[in-house]
Amino acid sequence: MTVDEALAHLATHGYEASALAGGQSFVPAMNFRLAQPSVLVDLNRIPDLAYIRPGDDGGLLIGAMTRQRAVERSPLVAERAPLLHETMPNIAHPPIRNRGTVGGSLAHADPAAELPAVMLALDARFRLRSSQGERWVPVRDFYVGMFMTAKEPEELLVEIALPPMPPGSGCAFRELSRRHGDYALVGVAALVTLDGGGRCREVRITLLSVGEGPVRAHQAAHLLAGQEPTPEAIRAAADAVATQDIDPDGDVHASAAYRRHLARVLTTDVLTKAFARARGV
Ligand SMILES: Cc1cc2nc3c(=O)[nH]c(=O)nc-3n(C[C@H](O)[C@H](O)[C@H](O)COP(=O)(O)OP(=O)(O)OC[C@H]3O[C@@H](n4cnc5c(N)ncnc54)[C@H](O)[C@@H]3O)c2cc1C
């Protein structure tokens, strides 16, 4: 099957049809009758959608059907997108990453998933195609609510573009889950860039499992802008993340107060690591 044929099926059947990628979220949803499509469009039959390529700008292009395990093992990803490389082993278990795709995770839009939050930290752009044409959507406009994206039913996510990391940058990811491989109670990603004088030029901190989608911590970034990233400045930023940037719910896995506590601890840790890496320490 080609992408054009898949798009023609989606255009014909509209809301009645669903794309099937790795099936690691969608098949369980069908088992529980949470999803009951009349038509399944199997993207596994489109080999053209699985690739990892260098972008002309020094960044990366990833096809939507690239398996999560391929991203985890790619030397090109390790070199050009170390934040993504560091994050991958935290997603579920190897058998799930062998089948699960990058595009499937991004389109599914689970607020507890790692990849949407990491793409937000990386300032990724998503290429969406329909039978009518294509459009690029920045990740900040893609997530619009819990399990909801800006993607229309007749569109496919076909490619993810990551910009290059600016010089003087460092990054880190950490999450806490009850058992390795479980969905995280909270996860934090950071990408920081220092200027020549060692002050913060840009700070992107994003979190998962603390809202209806991936959350960007704007207040914390504002506090660090133009500052030297001392331990005190990092502590103040982590405090802002926990008290101003997020408004988590409690559930059977963790109370809201515990999620705030985790956000503070994990943010302190990832910022400390990311700034050390930016300095080349
Ligand atoms: C036991 C278990 C534990 C897991 N733990 C984690 C975890 O810790 N972290 C985590 O992030 N995930 C976890 N997952 C989910 C896993 O990462 C899935 O692989 C991922 O969420 C969905 O990817 P998929 O390729 O399997 O997509 P599918 O399940 O095939 O599809 C998911 C949804 O996306 C749509 N879709 C898929 N591809 C496209 C596309 N290219 N364009 C448009 N729409 C598309 C489908 O129509 C469907 O609605 C877990 C899954 C299991 C079963």
Side-chain angles (χ1 to χ4, degrees):
M1 186 160 64
T2 64
V3 177
D4 285 336
E5 285 167 337
L7 292 173
H9 286 303
L10 291 176
T12 306
H13 299 284
Y15 282 99
E16 292 292 302
S18 289
L20 178 70
Q24 299 302 298
S25 297
F26 202 55
V27 170
M30 287 192 289
N31 285 344
F32 285 112
R33 305 294 187 262
L34 295 170
Q36 302 191 49
S38 309
V39 176
L40 272 182
V41 180
D42 187 354
L43 306 183
N44 294 278
R45 291 160 188 257
I46 312 178
D48 293 356
L49 283 180
Y51 54 85
I52 302 171
R53 292 185 194 131
D56 292 341
D57 59 355
L60 264 185
L61 297 172
I62 303 176
M65 280 301 288
T66 308
R67 305 289 167 188
Q68 294 161 5
R69 192 73 161 159
V71 173
E72 181 181 348
R73 292 180 162 179
S74 160
L76 191 62
V77 171
E79 180 201 323
R80 295 199 175 195
L83 180 61
L84 185 56
H85 175 75
E86 183 177 354
T87 302
M88 295 312 295
N90 292 282
I91 302 173
H93 308 280
I96 291 162
R97 298 199 293 276
N98 281 338
R99 286 298 298 170
T101 64
V102 175
S105 175
L106 295 175
H108 189 53
D110 189 325
E114 288 82 0
L115 289 180
V118 167
M119 294 297 166
L120 193 58
L122 292 173
D123 214 11
R125 291 181 311 132
F126 298 160
R127 184 152 68 100
L128 303 180
R129 273 188 64 185
S130 72
S131 58
Q132 304 300 309
E134 72 168 43
R135 61 185 177 126
W136 282 94
V137 179
V139 57
R140 63 177 172 277
D141 298 333
F142 189 71
Y143 292 103
V144 296
M146 191 166 283
F147 295 101
M148 284 171 64
T149 72
K151 187 185 80 58
E152 299 294 338
E154 70 277 11
E155 285 181 312
L156 280 179
L157 169 60
V158 292
E159 188 175 65
I160 298 98
L162 303 180
M165 271 182 48
S169 295
C171 55
F173 177 85
R174 247 198 96 190
E175 68 176 35
L176 191 101
S177 48
R178 290 170 75 98
R179 294 170 306 187
H180 180 73
D182 281 3
Y183 279 100
L185 299 178
V186 174
V188 183
L191 193 151
V192 303
T193 307
L194 296 174
D195 64 20
R199 292 178 182 274
C200 298
R201 172 172 290 156
E202 183 158 16
V203 175
R204 289 190 219 132
I205 306 162
T206 60
L207 294 100
L208 54 109
S209 267
V210 294
E212 297 206 331
V215 173
R216 187 158 171 190
H218 290 287
Q219 288 302 328
H222 181 67
L223 277 182
L224 284 167
Q227 303 298 313
E228 209 182 310
T230 59
E232 296 71 37
I234 289 173
R235 260 199 303 278
D239 216 53
V241 167
T243 58
Q244 297 174 50
D245 282 313
I246 62 170
D247 187 14
D249 285 331
D251 56 28
V252 287
H253 304 293
S255 66
Y258 185 54
R259 284 203 160 91
R260 284 187 197 277
H261 169 72
L262 282 180
R264 183 182 284 110
V265 172
L266 296 177
T267 302
T268 306
D269 192 46
V270 296
L271 283 177
T272 303
K273 271 199 197 116
F275 283 121
R277 289 171 177 169
R279 288 191 208 100
V281 180

